[in-house]
Amino acid sequence: MGSQGFSQIVEQHQLGMEAAETRIQALSEYLAVYRASQASPSGRRFYGRIRELRHDIWRLKAWSWYLSARQARPAWLAPLLVLARLLAGLVPAAPVRQRSALSARTALRLSTRSLLDRAYQALDEDIQGRLLTLRLAQRQRPATSRDEEIARLESRAALLAEAQRHDLRHSSQVAVICTVLAAVLRLRHWFGLPLPVIKTVDRT
Amino acid sequence: MMATDLFTPSLDSLPRVFSLADLKQQMPARPEQAMELVLRWLESGVVRQVAPPRPVFIRTSIGEVQDDELRCQALLRAFPSLVMVGGSVLWRQGISNQRDAWLECCVAEQERDCNLTDVRLHWRPPAWWEAIRRAGGIAGEHCGVAMLSGEMAVADATVFTDVWMPDREQIDWQRLSTARLSQASEELRKLR
């Protein structure tokens, strides 16, 4: 694989992190509004929904951490990948909506595949929206060239689609990685240990 | 230039508020042409982008006045964190007789350009929603948009001073609880 291929993979990881972080922010905002909008929060449904949203946020944080680790290459990465390959066979590849025993009558749990798919789609929508705005401006005021910016966004959209396809192809391994790392993150959170610093995404 | 055919969805087949993803779903065989189609609609003025760069659109027609329901629906698609605040809340809850000229809402999103008429969006930090929850500051909804309680709307306007409020004598103070107003102000003051 040439240097261009490597830089593309790095960029795909960056886009994956951006997708996860954007979705984490959106879910956190939704969680805050959802909690605030319940005048008298009670009932299994309300708490079930809160629990599922938090679970989704932890899994997305785990995915972002993993993608960040792909660049930093810490010592635990190789054993984690081996574990993911070994356990992948136990995870169904097709998007299955799981019901945990606790949430059987409350909220549906999204599979990791669906969760990441939505994160990628949300970022794709954002890129498409920006492209649309630029193209419209380009048509209305052709004197000002926006070709460079349009090309950059088109390239991002193509890389994002490739990253999404890649993760979907390995969705079982992705599910294992997210489950393991989310459990680690939660444990660190409960024990008051600092959470790993995830290399922030450059959104410029 | 894109050619129209029997498989190109007509604008009438779409809801009044729709997103690029909705349009792509109607064109499963050629989703890549959805953007070209929307661009054409935008250029001809039959649709408007609700809040660029978000790919959410509203169908427009000449002389049509956007009612509250349509504006709220469009805003909610573009800004999921939307909460109605200020004088807009007081008038809709019957606490004030003075009607708002602008629909005043708060959002968590930093980019908040909006092409809808008579709408003003204000930014609030994420901690604001937490403070609202702690103080029990949401009182129902209007066309799907969560509304602050009267007390919280007054406290928010006092603390942030960026939203329109009716004249003092136009507010029915009897309907506002002093204790809740004080609690709401206390919660929000921590954010300044």
Side-chain angles (χ1 to χ4, degrees):
Chain A
M1 193 177 290
S3 62
Q4 195 187 357
F6 179 74
S7 70
Q8 279 194 350
I9 289 170
V10 170
E11 209 170 328
Q12 279 177 19
H13 290 162
Q14 291 278 354
L15 278 168
M17 284 162 68
E18 189 174 337
E21 286 171 25
T22 310
R23 192 69 185 150
I24 288 168
Q25 194 185 346
L27 287 180
S28 304
E29 283 162 7
Y30 176 73
L31 179 64
V33 176
Y34 182 71
R35 290 175 75 191
S37 61
Q38 301 295 312
S40 51
S42 62
R44 195 176 279 188
R45 191 180 170 80
F46 174 79
Y47 289 107
R49 184 87 187 102
I50 298 273
R51 196 167 43 239
E52 290 310 325
L53 281 168
R54 284 186 176 149
H55 183 70
D56 290 351
I57 290 170
W58 280 117
R59 282 189 292 171
L60 286 166
K61 280 183 179 172
W63 184 240
S64 188
W65 183 22
Y66 165 74
L67 289 178
S68 168
R70 285 297 299 259
Q71 290 166 44
R73 299 214 154 261
W76 52 260
L77 186 64
L80 176 71
L81 290 172
V82 172
L83 185 73
R85 259 179 243 123
L86 287 174
L87 298 181
L90 303 174
V91 183
V96 176
R97 287 191 157 196
Q98 302 159 351
R99 273 176 188 267
S100 72
L102 275 174
S103 61
R105 272 171 290 172
T106 53
L108 282 170
R109 174 165 292 181
L110 278 178
S111 67
T112 306
R113 179 191 165 113
S114 302
L115 182 71
L116 292 184
D117 205 28
R118 285 187 188 190
Y120 280 118
Q121 276 174 16
L123 184 60
D124 183 56
E125 282 240 319
D126 181 68
I127 295 172
Q128 298 292 341
R130 286 173 200 281
L131 261 175
L132 190 87
T133 310
L134 279 173
R135 281 183 181 154
L136 186 67
Q138 179 84 315
R139 284 188 186 186
Q140 288 170 343
R141 290 180 292 277
T144 319
S145 175
R146 294 167 183 85
D147 291 344
E148 207 176 310
E149 181 67 1
I150 289 173
R152 191 182 72 84
L153 284 173
E154 281 175 343
S155 153
R156 268 167 68 84
L159 280 170
L160 185 73
E162 182 51 42
Q164 186 176 12
R165 277 194 294 273
H166 177 271
D167 290 351
L168 287 180
R169 272 199 304 272
H170 302 94
S171 58
S172 302
Q173 289 183 37
V174 170
V176 175
I177 289 168
C178 285
T179 307
V180 172
L181 291 186
V184 173
L185 285 177
R186 279 181 156 183
L187 279 174
R188 289 179 77 138
H189 176 69
W190 287 335
F191 288 117
L193 296 168
L195 294 178
V197 179
I198 295 165
K199 208 172 141 191
T200 50
V201 176
D202 180 14
R203 288 167 200 258
T204 55
Chain B
M1 185 64 73
M2 177 190 162
T4 51
D5 54 36
L6 283 172
F7 302 104
T8 307
S10 72
L11 188 54
D12 293 338
S13 67
L14 289 161
R16 291 186 71 191
V17 176
F18 64 95
S19 71
L20 192 60
D22 296 335
L23 185 60
K24 280 181 179 173
Q25 279 186 351
Q26 294 223 359
M27 311 169 71
R30 298 166 302 170
E32 68 287 346
Q33 288 190 1
M35 188 181 283
E36 189 58 38
L37 187 58
V38 170
L39 272 171
R40 221 172 49 189
W41 285 340
L42 281 168
E43 277 184 310
S44 59
V46 290
V47 301
R48 194 185 293 177
Q49 201 168 358
V50 173
R54 293 173 180 80
V56 178
F57 311 94
I58 186 167
R59 281 163 44 195
T60 53
S61 44
I62 297 164
E64 185 189 50
V65 179
Q66 289 164 3
D67 57 18
D68 257 9
E69 196 180 340
L70 190 63
R71 281 190 299 178
C72 289
Q73 200 187 337
L75 284 171
L76 271 175
R77 284 297 297 267
F79 303 98
S81 61
L82 194 74
V83 175
M84 201 185 293
V85 294
S88 298
V89 162
L90 299 184
W91 185 76
R92 279 170 186 78
Q93 292 180 3
I95 298 170
S96 157
N97 292 325
Q98 229 170 353
R99 187 173 184 168
D100 55 341
W102 305 78
L103 184 67
E104 304 257 2
C105 294
C106 283
V107 295
E109 291 83 358
Q110 296 275 4
E111 272 181 334
R112 51 185 192 283
D113 289 343
C114 183
N115 280 337
L116 295 184
T117 52
D118 306 335
V119 172
R120 256 189 207 158
L121 297 176
H122 308 273
W123 181 80
R124 292 286 182 270
W128 185 80
W129 277 264
E130 273 304 306
I132 300 291
R133 184 186 65 80
R134 279 196 303 272
I138 297 283
E141 57 178 49
H142 176 75
C143 301
V145 177
M147 277 196 296
L148 290 186
S149 63
E151 293 86 356
M152 189 53 89
V154 172
D156 175 73
T158 311
V159 173
F160 287 92
T161 65
D162 58 353
V163 297
W164 174 82
M165 283 290 279
D167 302 330
R168 280 189 69 82
E169 58 274 15
Q170 295 292 327
I171 298 175
D172 183 359
W173 294 98
Q174 301 292 325
R175 292 190 52 188
L176 300 177
S177 147
T178 315
R180 281 206 295 270
L181 185 57
S182 151
Q183 190 201 352
S185 303
E186 204 173 306
E187 287 288 350
L188 292 181
R189 256 198 298 270
K190 293 174 196 163
L191 304 178
R192 296 302 282 175

